[in-house]
mmCIF file of all heavy atoms in Angstrom:
data_model
loop_
_atom_site.group_PDB
_atom_site.id
_atom_site.type_symbol
_atom_site.label_atom_id
_atom_site.label_comp_id
_atom_site.label_asym_id
_atom_site.label_seq_id
_atom_site.Cartn_x
_atom_site.Cartn_y
_atom_site.Cartn_z
ATOM 1 N N GLN A 1 0.816 -1.210 0.000
ATOM 2 C CA GLN A 1 0.000 0.000 0.000
ATOM 3 C C GLN A 1 0.845 1.254 0.000
ATOM 4 O O GLN A 1 0.358 2.304 -0.355
ATOM 5 C CB GLN A 1 -0.934 0.012 1.210
ATOM 6 C CG GLN A 1 -2.130 -0.876 1.031
ATOM 7 C CD GLN A 1 -3.215 -0.570 2.048
ATOM 8 O OE1 GLN A 1 -3.180 0.409 2.766
ATOM 9 N NE2 GLN A 1 -4.199 -1.433 2.108
ATOM 10 N N LEU A 2 2.083 1.176 0.401
ATOM 11 C CA LEU A 2 2.935 2.360 0.440
ATOM 12 C C LEU A 2 3.504 2.618 -0.946
ATOM 13 O O LEU A 2 4.304 1.853 -1.458
ATOM 14 C CB LEU A 2 4.075 2.170 1.445
ATOM 15 C CG LEU A 2 4.971 3.382 1.633
ATOM 16 C CD1 LEU A 2 4.196 4.530 2.274
ATOM 17 C CD2 LEU A 2 6.172 3.029 2.488
ATOM 18 N N ALA A 3 3.062 3.711 -1.553
ATOM 19 C CA ALA A 3 3.527 4.065 -2.893
ATOM 20 C C ALA A 3 4.893 4.728 -2.846
ATOM 21 O O ALA A 3 5.752 4.457 -3.687
ATOM 22 C CB ALA A 3 2.522 4.987 -3.572
ATOM 23 N N GLY A 4 5.109 5.576 -1.873
ATOM 24 C CA GLY A 4 6.383 6.270 -1.755
ATOM 25 C C GLY A 4 6.341 7.302 -0.646
ATOM 26 O O GLY A 4 5.272 7.656 -0.158
ATOM 27 N N THR A 5 7.509 7.777 -0.267
ATOM 28 C CA THR A 5 7.614 8.793 0.774
ATOM 29 C C THR A 5 8.700 9.787 0.402
ATOM 30 O O THR A 5 9.643 9.455 -0.331
ATOM 31 C CB THR A 5 7.977 8.177 2.137
ATOM 32 O OG1 THR A 5 9.194 7.445 2.016
ATOM 33 C CG2 THR A 5 6.880 7.254 2.650
ATOM 34 N N PHE A 6 8.550 10.980 0.903
ATOM 35 C CA PHE A 6 9.587 11.999 0.736
ATOM 36 C C PHE A 6 9.657 12.783 2.038
ATOM 37 O O PHE A 6 8.726 13.499 2.380
ATOM 38 C CB PHE A 6 9.276 12.941 -0.427
ATOM 39 C CG PHE A 6 10.450 13.789 -0.835
ATOM 40 C CD1 PHE A 6 11.158 13.496 -1.995
ATOM 41 C CD2 PHE A 6 10.869 14.872 -0.067
ATOM 42 C CE1 PHE A 6 12.245 14.264 -2.380
ATOM 43 C CE2 PHE A 6 11.953 15.645 -0.438
ATOM 44 C CZ PHE A 6 12.649 15.336 -1.601
ATOM 45 N N PHE A 7 10.747 12.606 2.766
ATOM 46 C CA PHE A 7 10.954 13.331 4.008
ATOM 47 C C PHE A 7 11.875 14.508 3.726
ATOM 48 O O PHE A 7 13.044 14.334 3.405
ATOM 49 C CB PHE A 7 11.563 12.411 5.076
ATOM 50 C CG PHE A 7 10.561 11.524 5.754
ATOM 51 C CD1 PHE A 7 10.060 10.408 5.107
ATOM 52 C CD2 PHE A 7 10.111 11.816 7.034
ATOM 53 C CE1 PHE A 7 9.123 9.582 5.726
ATOM 54 C CE2 PHE A 7 9.176 11.003 7.659
ATOM 55 C CZ PHE A 7 8.678 9.885 7.002
ATOM 56 N N PHE A 8 11.319 15.708 3.821
ATOM 57 C CA PHE A 8 12.110 16.915 3.611
ATOM 58 C C PHE A 8 13.037 17.136 4.802
ATOM 59 O O PHE A 8 12.771 16.674 5.904
ATOM 60 C CB PHE A 8 11.189 18.135 3.441
ATOM 61 C CG PHE A 8 10.477 18.169 2.130
ATOM 62 C CD1 PHE A 8 9.212 17.634 1.989
ATOM 63 C CD2 PHE A 8 11.076 18.742 1.019
ATOM 64 C CE1 PHE A 8 8.551 17.661 0.777
ATOM 65 C CE2 PHE A 8 10.430 18.776 -0.204
ATOM 66 C CZ PHE A 8 9.166 18.237 -0.313
ATOM 67 N N SER A 9 14.134 17.860 4.551
ATOM 68 C CA SER A 9 15.084 18.189 5.606
ATOM 69 C C SER A 9 15.816 19.468 5.244
ATOM 70 O O SER A 9 16.324 19.594 4.128
ATOM 71 C CB SER A 9 16.098 17.057 5.781
ATOM 72 O OG SER A 9 17.135 17.450 6.655
ATOM 73 N N ARG A 10 15.879 20.381 6.186
ATOM 74 C CA ARG A 10 16.620 21.621 5.937
ATOM 75 C C ARG A 10 18.115 21.370 5.852
ATOM 76 O O ARG A 10 18.853 22.166 5.297
ATOM 77 C CB ARG A 10 16.352 22.619 7.061
ATOM 78 C CG ARG A 10 14.990 23.206 6.990
ATOM 79 C CD ARG A 10 14.806 24.269 8.054
ATOM 80 N NE ARG A 10 13.410 24.188 8.479
ATOM 81 C CZ ARG A 10 12.999 24.209 9.722
ATOM 82 N NH1 ARG A 10 13.846 24.351 10.693
ATOM 83 N NH2 ARG A 10 11.733 24.125 9.995
ATOM 84 N N LYS A 11 18.584 20.272 6.425
ATOM 85 C CA LYS A 11 20.016 19.978 6.505
ATOM 86 C C LYS A 11 20.598 19.376 5.232
ATOM 87 O O LYS A 11 21.807 19.330 5.077
ATOM 88 C CB LYS A 11 20.289 19.016 7.661
ATOM 89 C CG LYS A 11 19.902 19.560 9.006
ATOM 90 C CD LYS A 11 20.093 18.506 10.077
ATOM 91 C CE LYS A 11 19.560 18.971 11.408
ATOM 92 N NZ LYS A 11 19.620 17.923 12.413
ATOM 93 N N HIS A 12 19.771 18.875 4.339
ATOM 94 C CA HIS A 12 20.244 18.190 3.137
ATOM 95 C C HIS A 12 19.781 18.937 1.890
ATOM 96 O O HIS A 12 18.577 19.126 1.695
ATOM 97 C CB HIS A 12 19.735 16.752 3.100
ATOM 98 C CG HIS A 12 20.263 15.927 4.228
ATOM 99 N ND1 HIS A 12 19.630 15.852 5.443
ATOM 100 C CD2 HIS A 12 21.383 15.162 4.331
ATOM 101 C CE1 HIS A 12 20.319 15.061 6.240
ATOM 102 N NE2 HIS A 12 21.381 14.641 5.599
ATOM 103 N N ALA A 13 20.724 19.295 1.044
ATOM 104 C CA ALA A 13 20.435 20.100 -0.147
ATOM 105 C C ALA A 13 19.398 19.453 -1.063
ATOM 106 O O ALA A 13 18.554 20.139 -1.628
ATOM 107 C CB ALA A 13 21.723 20.381 -0.918
ATOM 108 N N ASN A 14 19.452 18.146 -1.241
ATOM 109 C CA ASN A 14 18.512 17.460 -2.140
ATOM 110 C C ASN A 14 17.113 17.321 -1.556
ATOM 111 O O ASN A 14 16.173 16.995 -2.258
ATOM 112 C CB ASN A 14 19.034 16.071 -2.493
ATOM 113 C CG ASN A 14 20.141 16.107 -3.499
ATOM 114 O OD1 ASN A 14 20.259 17.054 -4.272
ATOM 115 N ND2 ASN A 14 20.981 15.090 -3.508
ATOM 116 N N ARG A 15 16.999 17.526 -0.245
ATOM 117 C CA ARG A 15 15.707 17.319 0.409
ATOM 118 C C ARG A 15 15.111 18.583 1.003
ATOM 119 O O ARG A 15 14.101 18.523 1.687
ATOM 120 C CB ARG A 15 15.850 16.266 1.512
ATOM 121 C CG ARG A 15 16.212 14.911 0.974
ATOM 122 C CD ARG A 15 16.232 13.846 2.009
ATOM 123 N NE ARG A 15 16.189 14.339 3.366
ATOM 124 C CZ ARG A 15 16.599 13.659 4.425
ATOM 125 N NH1 ARG A 15 17.080 12.473 4.292
ATOM 126 N NH2 ARG A 15 16.533 14.171 5.624
ATOM 127 N N CYS A 16 15.708 19.727 0.756
ATOM 128 C CA CYS A 16 15.176 20.960 1.346
ATOM 129 C C CYS A 16 14.334 21.760 0.358
ATOM 130 O O CYS A 16 13.750 22.778 0.727
ATOM 131 C CB CYS A 16 16.298 21.816 1.927
ATOM 132 S SG CYS A 16 17.392 22.541 0.712
ATOM 133 N N THR A 17 14.244 21.307 -0.884
ATOM 134 C CA THR A 17 13.408 21.968 -1.885
ATOM 135 C C THR A 17 12.543 20.925 -2.584
ATOM 136 O O THR A 17 12.751 19.715 -2.419
ATOM 137 C CB THR A 17 14.257 22.693 -2.954
ATOM 138 O OG1 THR A 17 14.962 21.712 -3.719
ATOM 139 C CG2 THR A 17 15.229 23.674 -2.325
ATOM 140 N N THR A 18 11.630 21.396 -3.397
ATOM 141 C CA THR A 18 10.718 20.483 -4.094
ATOM 142 C C THR A 18 11.240 20.046 -5.460
ATOM 143 O O THR A 18 10.571 19.284 -6.152
ATOM 144 C CB THR A 18 9.345 21.157 -4.290
ATOM 145 O OG1 THR A 18 9.537 22.385 -4.996
ATOM 146 C CG2 THR A 18 8.662 21.412 -2.961
ATOM 147 N N GLY A 19 12.430 20.487 -5.853
ATOM 148 C CA GLY A 19 12.953 20.224 -7.191
ATOM 149 C C GLY A 19 12.996 18.760 -7.596
ATOM 150 O O GLY A 19 12.755 18.421 -8.753
ATOM 151 N N LYS A 20 13.283 17.873 -6.657
ATOM 152 C CA LYS A 20 13.389 16.437 -6.976
ATOM 153 C C LYS A 20 12.263 15.623 -6.348
ATOM 154 O O LYS A 20 12.304 14.396 -6.338
ATOM 155 C CB LYS A 20 14.745 15.916 -6.512
ATOM 156 C CG LYS A 20 15.904 16.582 -7.238
ATOM 157 C CD LYS A 20 17.230 15.987 -6.839
ATOM 158 C CE LYS A 20 18.342 16.652 -7.638
ATOM 159 N NZ LYS A 20 19.635 16.034 -7.390
ATOM 160 N N PHE A 21 11.255 16.320 -5.867
ATOM 161 C CA PHE A 21 10.142 15.675 -5.178
ATOM 162 C C PHE A 21 9.424 14.644 -6.048
ATOM 163 O O PHE A 21 9.315 13.475 -5.690
ATOM 164 C CB PHE A 21 9.170 16.754 -4.690
ATOM 165 C CG PHE A 21 7.937 16.228 -4.021
ATOM 166 C CD1 PHE A 21 8.002 15.698 -2.749
ATOM 167 C CD2 PHE A 21 6.709 16.276 -4.657
ATOM 168 C CE1 PHE A 21 6.865 15.218 -2.110
ATOM 169 C CE2 PHE A 21 5.567 15.813 -4.041
ATOM 170 C CZ PHE A 21 5.650 15.281 -2.769
ATOM 171 N N PHE A 22 8.929 15.071 -7.216
ATOM 172 C CA PHE A 22 8.154 14.152 -8.052
ATOM 173 C C PHE A 22 9.012 13.064 -8.678
ATOM 174 O O PHE A 22 8.574 11.918 -8.809
ATOM 175 C CB PHE A 22 7.356 14.910 -9.119
ATOM 176 C CG PHE A 22 6.121 15.545 -8.561
ATOM 177 C CD1 PHE A 22 6.024 16.908 -8.436
ATOM 178 C CD2 PHE A 22 5.066 14.763 -8.119
ATOM 179 C CE1 PHE A 22 4.894 17.490 -7.897
ATOM 180 C CE2 PHE A 22 3.928 15.330 -7.575
ATOM 181 C CZ PHE A 22 3.845 16.702 -7.455
ATOM 182 N N ALA A 23 10.246 13.389 -9.052
ATOM 183 C CA ALA A 23 11.140 12.362 -9.593
ATOM 184 C C ALA A 23 11.387 11.280 -8.551
ATOM 185 O O ALA A 23 11.398 10.084 -8.859
ATOM 186 C CB ALA A 23 12.453 12.991 -10.042
ATOM 187 N N THR A 24 11.570 11.691 -7.308
ATOM 188 C CA THR A 24 11.808 10.737 -6.223
ATOM 189 C C THR A 24 10.575 9.884 -5.961
ATOM 190 O O THR A 24 10.670 8.655 -5.848
ATOM 191 C CB THR A 24 12.224 11.488 -4.943
ATOM 192 O OG1 THR A 24 13.413 12.227 -5.210
ATOM 193 C CG2 THR A 24 12.471 10.528 -3.793
ATOM 194 N N LEU A 25 9.421 10.515 -5.880
ATOM 195 C CA LEU A 25 8.201 9.744 -5.617
ATOM 196 C C LEU A 25 7.854 8.789 -6.751
ATOM 197 O O LEU A 25 7.447 7.658 -6.510
ATOM 198 C CB LEU A 25 7.027 10.686 -5.347
ATOM 199 C CG LEU A 25 7.002 11.330 -3.969
ATOM 200 C CD1 LEU A 25 5.770 12.202 -3.813
ATOM 201 C CD2 LEU A 25 7.041 10.285 -2.870
ATOM 202 N N VAL A 26 8.020 9.234 -7.996
ATOM 203 C CA VAL A 26 7.675 8.355 -9.116
ATOM 204 C C VAL A 26 8.678 7.199 -9.218
ATOM 205 O O VAL A 26 8.310 6.093 -9.610
ATOM 206 C CB VAL A 26 7.537 9.122 -10.443
ATOM 207 C CG1 VAL A 26 8.865 9.408 -11.095
ATOM 208 C CG2 VAL A 26 6.626 8.359 -11.398
ATOM 209 N N TYR A 27 9.927 7.444 -8.847
ATOM 210 C CA TYR A 27 10.917 6.363 -8.821
ATOM 211 C C TYR A 27 10.496 5.298 -7.806
ATOM 212 O O TYR A 27 10.515 4.102 -8.102
ATOM 213 C CB TYR A 27 12.295 6.927 -8.474
ATOM 214 C CG TYR A 27 13.366 5.878 -8.339
ATOM 215 C CD1 TYR A 27 13.931 5.289 -9.462
ATOM 216 C CD2 TYR A 27 13.804 5.466 -7.088
ATOM 217 C CE1 TYR A 27 14.904 4.325 -9.341
ATOM 218 C CE2 TYR A 27 14.784 4.498 -6.958
ATOM 219 C CZ TYR A 27 15.329 3.931 -8.084
ATOM 220 O OH TYR A 27 16.296 2.961 -7.965
ATOM 221 N N GLN A 28 10.085 5.741 -6.621
ATOM 222 C CA GLN A 28 9.620 4.794 -5.606
ATOM 223 C C GLN A 28 8.331 4.097 -6.039
ATOM 224 O O GLN A 28 8.172 2.890 -5.853
ATOM 225 C CB GLN A 28 9.388 5.520 -4.281
ATOM 226 C CG GLN A 28 10.637 6.027 -3.622
ATOM 227 C CD GLN A 28 10.323 6.813 -2.370
ATOM 228 O OE1 GLN A 28 9.421 6.472 -1.606
ATOM 229 N NE2 GLN A 28 11.051 7.889 -2.152
ATOM 230 N N LEU A 29 7.425 4.869 -6.616
ATOM 231 C CA LEU A 29 6.147 4.318 -7.075
ATOM 232 C C LEU A 29 6.370 3.209 -8.096
ATOM 233 O O LEU A 29 5.815 2.113 -7.982
ATOM 234 C CB LEU A 29 5.276 5.424 -7.671
ATOM 235 C CG LEU A 29 3.901 5.034 -8.179
ATOM 236 C CD1 LEU A 29 3.014 4.591 -7.026
ATOM 237 C CD2 LEU A 29 3.263 6.191 -8.929
ATOM 238 N N ALA A 30 7.207 3.469 -9.094
ATOM 239 C CA ALA A 30 7.475 2.473 -10.136
ATOM 240 C C ALA A 30 8.278 1.298 -9.587
ATOM 241 O O ALA A 30 8.144 0.175 -10.075
ATOM 242 C CB ALA A 30 8.199 3.114 -11.310
ATOM 243 N N SER A 31 9.096 1.538 -8.582
ATOM 244 C CA SER A 31 9.837 0.440 -7.952
ATOM 245 C C SER A 31 8.900 -0.445 -7.140
ATOM 246 O O SER A 31 9.037 -1.673 -7.137
ATOM 247 C CB SER A 31 10.934 0.990 -7.037
ATOM 248 O OG SER A 31 11.900 1.686 -7.785
ATOM 249 N N ASN A 32 7.936 0.170 -6.451
ATOM 250 C CA ASN A 32 6.987 -0.582 -5.624
ATOM 251 C C ASN A 32 5.847 -1.205 -6.439
ATOM 252 O O ASN A 32 5.275 -2.209 -6.046
ATOM 253 C CB ASN A 32 6.380 0.331 -4.546
ATOM 254 C CG ASN A 32 7.384 0.669 -3.471
ATOM 255 O OD1 ASN A 32 8.251 -0.132 -3.141
ATOM 256 N ND2 ASN A 32 7.283 1.861 -2.930
ATOM 257 N N PHE A 33 5.524 -0.580 -7.582
ATOM 258 C CA PHE A 33 4.440 -1.055 -8.437
ATOM 259 C C PHE A 33 4.965 -1.152 -9.873
ATOM 260 O O PHE A 33 4.756 -0.232 -10.678
ATOM 261 C CB PHE A 33 3.235 -0.109 -8.363
ATOM 262 C CG PHE A 33 2.640 -0.007 -6.989
ATOM 263 C CD1 PHE A 33 3.109 0.939 -6.091
ATOM 264 C CD2 PHE A 33 1.634 -0.871 -6.588
ATOM 265 C CE1 PHE A 33 2.573 1.028 -4.811
ATOM 266 C CE2 PHE A 33 1.098 -0.787 -5.316
ATOM 267 C CZ PHE A 33 1.569 0.160 -4.422
ATOM 268 N N PRO A 34 5.667 -2.234 -10.205
ATOM 269 C CA PRO A 34 6.305 -2.372 -11.521
ATOM 270 C C PRO A 34 5.358 -2.238 -12.705
ATOM 271 O O PRO A 34 5.805 -1.972 -13.816
ATOM 272 C CB PRO A 34 6.906 -3.778 -11.479
ATOM 273 C CG PRO A 34 7.021 -4.115 -10.032
ATOM 274 C CD PRO A 34 5.917 -3.379 -9.334
ATOM 275 N N SER A 35 4.062 -2.358 -12.491
ATOM 276 C CA SER A 35 3.105 -2.261 -13.591
ATOM 277 C C SER A 35 3.107 -0.889 -14.255
ATOM 278 O O SER A 35 2.635 -0.758 -15.383
ATOM 279 C CB SER A 35 1.701 -2.618 -13.109
ATOM 280 O OG SER A 35 1.324 -1.785 -12.028
ATOM 281 N N ILE A 36 3.635 0.147 -13.600
ATOM 282 C CA ILE A 36 3.662 1.465 -14.242
ATOM 283 C C ILE A 36 5.062 1.872 -14.704
ATOM 284 O O ILE A 36 5.230 2.942 -15.277
ATOM 285 C CB ILE A 36 3.085 2.574 -13.336
ATOM 286 C CG1 ILE A 36 3.996 2.863 -12.156
ATOM 287 C CG2 ILE A 36 1.679 2.266 -12.901
ATOM 288 C CD1 ILE A 36 3.819 4.262 -11.647
ATOM 289 N N LYS A 37 6.043 1.025 -14.485
ATOM 290 C CA LYS A 37 7.429 1.381 -14.825
ATOM 291 C C LYS A 37 7.592 1.726 -16.304
ATOM 292 O O LYS A 37 8.246 2.710 -16.649
ATOM 293 C CB LYS A 37 8.382 0.253 -14.438
ATOM 294 C CG LYS A 37 9.837 0.600 -14.617
ATOM 295 C CD LYS A 37 10.730 -0.526 -14.113
ATOM 296 C CE LYS A 37 12.190 -0.198 -14.325
ATOM 297 N NZ LYS A 37 13.062 -1.261 -13.829
ATOM 298 N N ASP A 38 7.001 0.941 -17.189
ATOM 299 C CA ASP A 38 7.118 1.213 -18.624
ATOM 300 C C ASP A 38 6.505 2.565 -18.991
ATOM 301 O O ASP A 38 7.073 3.306 -19.806
ATOM 302 C CB ASP A 38 6.449 0.109 -19.450
ATOM 303 C CG ASP A 38 7.221 -1.196 -19.394
ATOM 304 O OD1 ASP A 38 8.420 -1.175 -19.043
ATOM 305 O OD2 ASP A 38 6.619 -2.244 -19.693
ATOM 306 N N ASP A 39 5.369 2.898 -18.390
ATOM 307 C CA ASP A 39 4.726 4.182 -18.677
ATOM 308 C C ASP A 39 5.548 5.351 -18.147
ATOM 309 O O ASP A 39 5.619 6.401 -18.776
ATOM 310 C CB ASP A 39 3.313 4.225 -18.096
ATOM 311 C CG ASP A 39 2.377 3.284 -18.834
ATOM 312 O OD1 ASP A 39 2.516 3.156 -20.060
ATOM 313 O OD2 ASP A 39 1.524 2.675 -18.181
ATOM 314 N N VAL A 40 6.194 5.166 -17.008
ATOM 315 C CA VAL A 40 7.048 6.213 -16.448
ATOM 316 C C VAL A 40 8.265 6.426 -17.336
ATOM 317 O O VAL A 40 8.608 7.565 -17.679
ATOM 318 C CB VAL A 40 7.478 5.867 -15.003
ATOM 319 C CG1 VAL A 40 8.584 6.798 -14.520
ATOM 320 C CG2 VAL A 40 6.279 5.917 -14.065
ATOM 321 N N THR A 41 8.918 5.351 -17.741
ATOM 322 C CA THR A 41 10.099 5.501 -18.605
ATOM 323 C C THR A 41 9.710 6.085 -19.963
ATOM 324 O O THR A 41 10.459 6.874 -20.534
ATOM 325 C CB THR A 41 10.857 4.172 -18.781
ATOM 326 O OG1 THR A 41 9.969 3.172 -19.264
ATOM 327 C CG2 THR A 41 11.472 3.705 -17.476
ATOM 328 N N ARG A 42 8.533 5.746 -20.464
ATOM 329 C CA ARG A 42 8.058 6.327 -21.724
ATOM 330 C C ARG A 42 7.865 7.838 -21.567
ATOM 331 O O ARG A 42 8.263 8.622 -22.438
ATOM 332 C CB ARG A 42 6.745 5.670 -22.162
ATOM 333 C CG ARG A 42 6.255 6.152 -23.532
ATOM 334 C CD ARG A 42 4.951 5.493 -23.988
ATOM 335 N NE ARG A 42 4.992 4.043 -23.900
ATOM 336 C CZ ARG A 42 4.243 3.309 -23.058
ATOM 337 N NH1 ARG A 42 3.393 3.893 -22.238
ATOM 338 N NH2 ARG A 42 4.341 1.997 -23.031
ATOM 339 N N ALA A 43 7.293 8.260 -20.459
ATOM 340 C CA ALA A 43 7.069 9.690 -20.216
ATOM 341 C C ALA A 43 8.400 10.438 -20.165
ATOM 342 O O ALA A 43 8.511 11.551 -20.691
ATOM 343 C CB ALA A 43 6.305 9.887 -18.912
ATOM 344 N N ILE A 44 9.416 9.824 -19.596
ATOM 345 C CA ILE A 44 10.729 10.469 -19.519
ATOM 346 C C ILE A 44 11.378 10.518 -20.901
ATOM 347 O O ILE A 44 11.951 11.539 -21.287
ATOM 348 C CB ILE A 44 11.634 9.742 -18.499
ATOM 349 C CG1 ILE A 44 11.045 9.892 -17.100
ATOM 350 C CG2 ILE A 44 13.062 10.287 -18.549
ATOM 351 C CD1 ILE A 44 11.658 8.969 -16.071
ATOM 352 N N ARG A 45 11.280 9.415 -21.645
ATOM 353 C CA ARG A 45 11.844 9.396 -23.001
ATOM 354 C C ARG A 45 11.186 10.443 -23.899
ATOM 355 O O ARG A 45 11.826 11.030 -24.751
ATOM 356 C CB ARG A 45 11.698 8.013 -23.634
ATOM 357 C CG ARG A 45 12.851 7.102 -23.286
ATOM 358 C CD ARG A 45 12.833 5.853 -24.143
ATOM 359 N NE ARG A 45 12.789 4.722 -23.239
ATOM 360 C CZ ARG A 45 11.771 3.881 -23.089
ATOM 361 N NH1 ARG A 45 10.692 4.004 -23.817
ATOM 362 N NH2 ARG A 45 11.825 2.913 -22.224
ATOM 363 N N GLU A 46 9.896 10.678 -23.707
ATOM 364 C CA GLU A 46 9.183 11.677 -24.504
ATOM 365 C C GLU A 46 9.663 13.092 -24.191
ATOM 366 O O GLU A 46 9.581 13.974 -25.036
ATOM 367 C CB GLU A 46 7.671 11.585 -24.251
ATOM 368 C CG GLU A 46 7.037 10.353 -24.853
ATOM 369 C CD GLU A 46 5.572 10.190 -24.447
ATOM 370 O OE1 GLU A 46 5.035 11.062 -23.708
ATOM 371 O OE2 GLU A 46 4.961 9.187 -24.845
ATOM 372 N N ASN A 47 10.165 13.292 -22.971
ATOM 373 C CA ASN A 47 10.606 14.628 -22.573
ATOM 374 C C ASN A 47 11.632 14.505 -21.440
ATOM 375 O O ASN A 47 11.274 14.560 -20.264
ATOM 376 C CB ASN A 47 9.406 15.474 -22.113
ATOM 377 C CG ASN A 47 9.805 16.867 -21.703
ATOM 378 O OD1 ASN A 47 10.939 17.293 -21.896
ATOM 379 N ND2 ASN A 47 8.873 17.582 -21.108
ATOM 380 N N PHE A 48 12.911 14.350 -21.803
ATOM 381 C CA PHE A 48 13.960 14.202 -20.790
ATOM 382 C C PHE A 48 14.035 15.424 -19.873
ATOM 383 O O PHE A 48 14.447 15.322 -18.719
ATOM 384 C CB PHE A 48 15.329 13.954 -21.435
ATOM 385 C CG PHE A 48 15.601 12.508 -21.702
ATOM 386 C CD1 PHE A 48 15.446 11.985 -22.978
ATOM 387 C CD2 PHE A 48 16.004 11.661 -20.690
ATOM 388 C CE1 PHE A 48 15.686 10.643 -23.231
ATOM 389 C CE2 PHE A 48 16.247 10.320 -20.929
ATOM 390 C CZ PHE A 48 16.088 9.802 -22.203
#
């Protein structure tokens, strides 16, 4: 049931802003639910 998590932190540069939020969550989502991995990689290939 856990699709993904993102714990923000002021102490870590990669986790103190939203810049990598969706990339991180979709990576976890596709890792936890392989049925969408192909669609995620297709979306990235369409627009890197």
Side-chain angles (χ1 to χ4, degrees):
Q1 282 196 11
L2 184 66
T5 57
F6 193 105
F7 280 76
F8 287 93
S9 171
R10 287 185 214 135
K11 299 175 187 174
H12 296 88
N14 284 336
R15 296 185 347 202
C16 69
T17 67
T18 56
K20 297 184 178 185
F21 177 74
F22 282 110
T24 300
L25 283 182
V26 81
Y27 176 77
Q28 292 176 38
L29 181 66
S31 295
N32 288 327
F33 298 89
S35 57
I36 70 154
K37 186 176 178 179
D38 290 341
D39 291 323
V40 168
T41 55
R42 185 179 309 114
I44 295 167
R45 273 192 237 112
E46 289 173 1
N47 180 9
F48 273 101

